[in-house]
Amino acid sequence: MTVRLYQDIDGCLNVYASGQPWAESKDEDGLRGELSGTAFSFFDHSGDRTTGLVTKFAMKWNSRLIDALNELDVELVWTTTWRADAPGVGKLVGLSHRNRVLHPKNGKTTFPSIHWKYEALVAEQQESPSPFIWVDDEIIDLPRAAIETIHQLGGLYICPDPMFGMTPLHLERMREYIAQH
């Protein structure tokens, strides 16, 4: 059975500081891809696409991380406030997985976002169980009972430091989990 990878973008793929954990030498910052000022449309809080409104953002990611993710045999499921724009971001940074977006159960993106992501993920796992990995920098904000539910469902959760995003150690844990399932 293929492992589902529930993947957030900001703080996980898109980092806020440097990509140092992916550096190959002490003289390298670890960032291999950087994009600034690219425009995307976005969703307002009601979940409706805002028309005629474009925002600019800066993205920092590491191509070594993207290469490592592309090597994983997973079903990529976006769990992010980027929602319908997530596949475009994935393509932009070089992810090659077929993917889909997990939307909030009630159709509305609320903040903090970790709560609707958790509810949607648990509902999907109860309806269609599968081994899964959940990567989100806000998992730390979930109550202990929610973390216990993730364990009871058999999932692996990874909560990166949003300054640095996913690290080689996180990818190693993911590979080990995939090998066991």
Side-chain angles (χ1 to χ4, degrees):
M1 180 176 280
T2 301
V3 172
R4 284 188 193 130
L5 172 57
Y6 294 100
Q7 181 70 57
D8 186 26
I9 293 176
D10 294 323
C12 299
L13 300 179
N14 181 26
V15 299
Y16 300 123
S18 105
Q20 189 63 37
W22 290 92
E24 290 185 341
S25 72
K26 65 181 178 180
D27 298 324
E28 182 181 311
D29 71 2
L31 290 174
R32 290 293 179 143
E34 186 166 350
L35 181 69
S36 180
T38 299
F40 276 89
S41 60
F42 65 95
F43 285 89
D44 65 17
H45 290 254
S46 70
D48 297 325
R49 184 172 292 279
T50 303
T51 57
L53 196 52
V54 177
T55 186
K56 292 190 175 203
F57 67 98
M59 275 197 71
K60 294 181 187 178
W61 72 92
N62 185 281
S63 62
R64 290 188 195 104
L65 167 60
I66 301 303
D67 291 345
L69 287 170
N70 282 335
E71 292 173 3
L72 300 178
D73 182 20
V74 294
E75 173 193 3
L76 177 57
V77 181
W78 294 111
T79 50
T80 174
T81 55
W82 285 90
R83 294 187 51 192
D85 290 323
V89 173
K91 183 177 179 182
L92 177 76
V93 300
L95 285 173
S96 60
H97 294 89
R98 291 183 54 203
N99 59 78
R100 62 185 173 85
V101 178
L102 185 65
H103 293 283
K105 288 176 33 176
N106 66 3
K108 296 182 180 182
T109 301
T110 56
F111 293 91
S113 63
I114 195 65
H115 302 293
W116 71 256
K117 293 175 189 180
Y118 167 77
E119 290 171 1
L121 183 151
V122 169
E124 179 169 276
Q125 284 297 314
Q126 290 172 339
E127 292 170 19
S128 174
S130 176
F132 70 95
I133 301 168
W134 184 18
V135 180
D136 197 302
D137 62 305
E138 295 179 338
I139 291 174
I140 195 167
D141 296 331
L142 286 173
R144 173 165 278 160
I147 298 298
E148 290 172 8
T149 299
I150 297 301
H151 285 292
Q152 291 168 358
L153 291 170
L156 169 67
Y157 71 88
I158 294 178
C159 184
D161 179 332
M163 296 303 288
F164 303 104
M166 297 171 70
T167 67
L169 181 58
H170 294 140
L171 267 289
E172 184 57 35
R173 288 181 57 210
M174 293 167 72
R175 285 185 200 101
E176 289 171 5
Y177 181 87
I178 292 166
Q180 294 171 2
H181 294 85

